Amino acid sequence: EIEEEKGWKRKWKDIKKKPWYRPLKKYGMLTITSIIAILVLIICGVTIWKDLTWEGWIAVCTVALVLVLLVNDTYEAHFTMMLGMVILLITTVISVDDALEGFSNSGLATIAVLFIVAKGIELSGILKYVLRYVLRRPRYLVV
């Protein structure tokens, strides 16, 4: 059994030395989620969305792209969302008025202010002291 484990470790080290391993490790999750998103789009397109126009397809594909980029944390969230909006603007799926209308929403402004406050609290380091006081040392662990 010990020899099998050594052989397995040796094989794993050999795999890590292969030229295709590093890109697979770096982009593997992105590739897998992209393939899943494409399969879902194809299956839904064939079965559910038969009467979808080209604008609908661009919107669905843009949402799928944004979701894949957000899940994999490829770019920052604000850049990914703006990329989706720009794709929809360039392809004339939405108008400039429709795109900018969302920024005038008071709910969006509230969330933006909360992000600013949260970043300020994070950078100040006060959260560390508050959590240390609140959590302290647990006497027992409830599972």
Side-chain angles (χ1 to χ4, degrees):
E1 189 174 319
I2 294 174
E3 290 179 20
E4 284 183 28
E5 187 175 325
K6 287 182 182 179
W8 181 81
K9 287 182 180 180
R10 189 177 307 119
K11 287 179 184 178
W12 184 244
K13 284 182 182 180
D14 291 342
I15 289 174
K16 285 184 175 181
K17 291 178 184 176
K18 302 281 184 192
W20 50 265
Y21 176 75
R22 183 171 283 158
L24 181 66
K25 183 179 177 187
K26 187 174 183 182
Y27 301 111
M29 193 63 181
L30 178 65
T31 306
I32 290 169
T33 53
S34 299
I35 290 170
I36 291 171
I38 289 169
L39 287 175
V40 167
L41 284 176
I42 290 172
I43 291 169
C44 289
V46 171
T47 58
I48 301 171
W49 304 320
K50 292 179 184 174
D51 301 328
L52 207 58
T53 63
W54 67 271
E55 293 162 330
W57 276 108
I58 290 177
V60 168
C61 290
T62 303
V63 169
L65 173 71
V66 167
L67 286 176
V68 166
L69 293 176
L70 286 173
V71 165
N72 290 298
D73 204 22
T74 308
Y75 302 107
E76 292 187 27
H78 67 276
F79 178 78
T80 304
M81 294 295 188
M82 290 298 272
L83 176 70
M85 186 178 74
V86 167
I87 290 172
L88 293 176
L89 276 171
I90 289 174
T91 56
T92 65
V93 172
I94 60 172
S95 66
V96 177
D97 293 335
D98 291 336
L100 297 178
E101 186 177 318
F103 291 109
S104 66
N105 189 343
S106 63
L108 180 70
T110 304
I111 291 172
V113 169
L114 285 175
F115 272 113
I116 293 169
V117 170
K119 190 65 170 180
I121 290 172
E122 178 187 340
L123 292 177
S124 71
I126 196 165
L127 192 60
K128 178 174 60 174
Y129 299 112
V130 171
L131 287 176
R132 189 179 301 156
Y133 177 76
V134 170
L135 296 178
R136 294 188 184 150
R137 280 191 150 179
R139 293 186 195 131
Y140 52 90
L141 183 63
V142 177
V143 180

